[in-house]
Amino acid sequence: MAGWFKIDLWKRVIAALVVGLAVGLGLRYGMGAEAGGAFAETWIKWIGDLFLRLIRMLIVPLVFFTLVSGIIAMGDPKRLGSLGARTLGTYLGTTAIAVTLGLIMATIFQPGASLTPDTFANADGSGLEDARARADAAGGLVDRLLNIVPTNPIEALASGNILQIIFFAIMLGVGILMAGKIAEPVAKWFDGASEAMMKVTIIVMETAPIGVFGLMATVMATKGLGVLQSLGTLAIALYLACVLHMIFTYGFGIIKGVLGLPVLAFFRGITDAQAVAYSTASSSATLPVTITCAEENLGVDKAVAGSVLPLGATINMDGTAIYIGMVALFGAQAMGIEVTLSQYVLVAVMATLVSIGAAGIPSAGLLLSGAALTQVGIPEAQAALIIGFILPFDRLLDMMRTMTNVTGDAAVATAVAKWEGELDEGVFRADDNLSAHVDDREKPVPS
Ligand code: ASP
């Protein structure tokens, strides 16, 4: 048993995925679609359902606590100092571009369109009318915007109204910062609560291999292989959006366009951090390498790197923002829901805010995308099913969005350092001529 937990979680998830796939297809083609499907519904489905309930349990407290503590972290003068406004402005600006790009890609590629709405219907077939009715009932833009403000925050928490929860979390975070010294214990408490929720998430994720097995076997037995096409399209759309964002927004936009620095030197300088981000799928775990790359290869001053990068690893997640917007549209396409212009805007705002709240750990973005799914009118139960449907494949998607998140942190750190006059351009440009690996930094630097 101990040996089981020693294997990386993602490897266990992939193994479970393969076994679930084989068992589900075995049932479908061995017993026949009808009998195999019925067998899976009776004997295996509950395993996936249990896992989905665990995920649903996480969403509200995870959003609430991580967002309040995220806001508190932003205002911590020790972390931000005089760099504050610029850093936050650049973070938000790039995230807005990211989320727009994600929505455009998801609209072009239509990853959810190949699914039929009944993929995510409840067992009794309900859930779909409910989704459409909710989408219709949500009203016009003014009503929707008004509805962001909760009249009773406790009710918002209890009913899981994510936008209202986000609004209240931001207000509370700001209030705690404004109250200053007297509210320090509360700030600490929220930090602790958000850490604790992250641990609860980790416990739940430990059950993912079993849940993934249940979900996969049931989907394959009842729906067959065809449903995988949609996930392939989702992966292509996400990879493309992330690559475009890294090259054009960070590379040619910030590094070359705004700062006038060589693009290649930037990417060579952060290769190590990108590789670690891609393989760990965690911005937080990558942070030490990101800091080293920024200081040693990009010439970012220690104080800037030490304040801007930890903050970025917590709140600047462009890859995650791209993804959350995409998942919302994926769900809407699968459920056959028309997304109106005002919903696009709200999904974009939601994706930006949720990406700020997301923790830099594997799969955080997917778990929180439930918030954006409910925004296009998808009921919570179906949102959990959609998350459960994507989850077995999330690792591959997570690796790419984490790499994007980390690249964004490094680009913003470079920009802030340059604006503050704390960028050693000799070191940055040296990478034009030299190999940029962290351990090569002893080499002489031509100026
Ligand atoms: N794994 C991502 C990160 O650490 C967050 C996410 O799941 O999108 O940056």
Side-chain angles (χ1 to χ4, degrees):
M1 198 61 191
W4 170 253
F5 287 106
K6 278 209 190 97
I7 306 171
D8 286 342
L9 179 62
W10 67 275
K11 290 182 185 154
R12 284 181 274 148
V13 168
I14 290 186
L17 172 93
V18 174
V19 177
L21 195 104
V23 169
L25 291 179
L27 286 173
R28 187 176 178 85
Y29 297 107
M31 297 172 68
E34 192 113 328
F39 181 90
E41 294 267 359
T42 316
W43 298 107
I44 305 180
K45 186 168 172 292
W46 67 271
I47 304 173
D49 286 349
L50 178 63
F51 180 57
L52 292 182
R53 289 188 76 95
L54 286 168
I55 290 184
R56 286 170 70 178
M57 173 187 86
L58 294 176
I59 294 177
V60 166
L62 196 61
V63 170
F64 183 63
F65 289 126
T66 50
L67 197 51
V68 174
S69 72
I71 300 288
I72 295 171
M74 270 191 224
D76 182 345
K78 284 195 287 311
R79 295 181 81 168
L80 270 181
S82 68
L83 320 177
R86 273 179 167 169
T87 312
L88 291 184
T90 320
Y91 280 160
L92 279 180
T94 57
T95 306
I97 298 174
V99 89
T100 311
L101 191 63
L103 292 176
I104 293 174
M105 285 296 167
T107 308
I108 296 175
F109 280 86
Q110 299 274 321
S114 63
L115 294 170
T116 49
D118 65 351
T119 313
F120 303 114
N122 296 331
D124 60 1
S126 65
L128 302 179
E129 312 72 44
D130 198 14
R132 301 222 177 85
R134 281 235 238 169
D136 291 344
L141 186 59
V142 176
D143 282 345
R144 282 166 185 276
L145 290 178
L146 273 182
N147 201 36
I148 294 176
V149 182
T151 49
N152 178 349
I154 307 295
E155 190 184 301
L157 284 164
S159 63
N161 186 323
I162 297 289
L163 260 193
Q164 295 189 345
I165 295 174
I166 289 178
F167 184 85
F168 181 64
I170 295 174
M171 297 285 285
L172 186 59
V174 172
I176 291 172
L177 285 175
M178 286 172 66
K181 202 158 174 48
I182 186 127
E184 268 170 17
V186 188
K188 273 221 167 73
W189 187 85
F190 271 101
D191 259 353
S194 118
E195 272 303 311
M197 270 320 292
M198 246 183 256
K199 296 285 185 248
V200 177
T201 308
I202 290 170
I203 299 173
V204 170
M205 291 312 287
E206 281 298 328
T207 68
I210 301 170
V212 161
F213 163 78
L215 292 167
M216 263 328 269
T218 311
V219 169
M220 285 301 127
T222 53
K223 315 275 193 273
L225 264 181
V227 293
L228 293 186
Q229 187 197 337
S230 59
L231 291 164
T233 318
L234 180 67
I236 293 173
L238 179 76
Y239 270 61
L240 205 62
C242 285
V243 168
L244 289 177
H245 191 59
M246 282 191 277
I247 295 180
F248 291 103
T249 311
Y250 302 144
F252 288 99
I254 295 184
I255 299 297
K256 180 138 193 90
V258 179
L259 307 176
L261 295 167
V263 176
L264 261 187
F266 171 73
F267 282 109
R268 262 189 269 143
I270 56 160
T271 309
D272 292 349
Q274 286 185 316
V276 175
Y278 194 79
S279 49
T280 59
S282 165
S283 320
S284 303
T286 313
L287 185 60
V289 188
T290 320
I291 294 181
T292 315
C293 285
E295 288 176 6
E296 308 290 347
N297 299 348
L298 302 180
V300 175
D301 170 73
K302 268 196 168 42
V304 175
S307 56
V308 174
L309 289 171
L311 186 69
T314 326
I315 66 165
N316 183 45
M317 299 207 179
D318 290 358
T320 304
I322 292 178
Y323 185 62
I324 289 173
M326 266 187 184
V327 171
L329 295 192
F330 176 88
Q333 290 156 2
M335 304 284 278
I337 298 173
E338 282 284 329
V339 181
T340 60
L341 192 64
S342 64
Q343 275 174 323
Y344 269 103
V345 176
L346 282 182
V347 166
V349 172
M350 168 81 89
T352 307
L353 293 177
V354 171
S355 74
I356 292 174
I361 55 172
S363 279
L366 178 63
L367 299 185
L368 294 178
S369 64
L373 282 165
T374 52
Q375 203 50 49
V376 293
I378 295 175
E380 206 209 324
Q382 267 63 43
L385 276 175
I386 294 171
I387 293 175
F389 177 74
I390 302 176
L391 192 110
F393 304 89
D394 189 51
R395 180 73 189 193
L396 192 68
L397 308 174
D398 200 359
M399 289 162 45
M400 190 58 174
R401 54 183 200 261
T402 306
M403 182 169 147
T404 312
N405 293 344
V406 166
T407 308
D409 297 340
V412 175
T414 309
V416 173
K418 168 112 181 171
W419 293 330
E420 298 285 320
E422 304 283 0
L423 185 77
D424 186 338
E425 285 194 36
V427 174
F428 191 103
R429 288 177 192 276
D431 291 337
D432 261 352
N433 311 317
L434 294 173
S435 149
H437 283 277
V438 175
D439 32 25
D440 285 347
R441 75 192 67 103
E442 309 296 332
K443 293 186 182 173
V445 178
S447 47

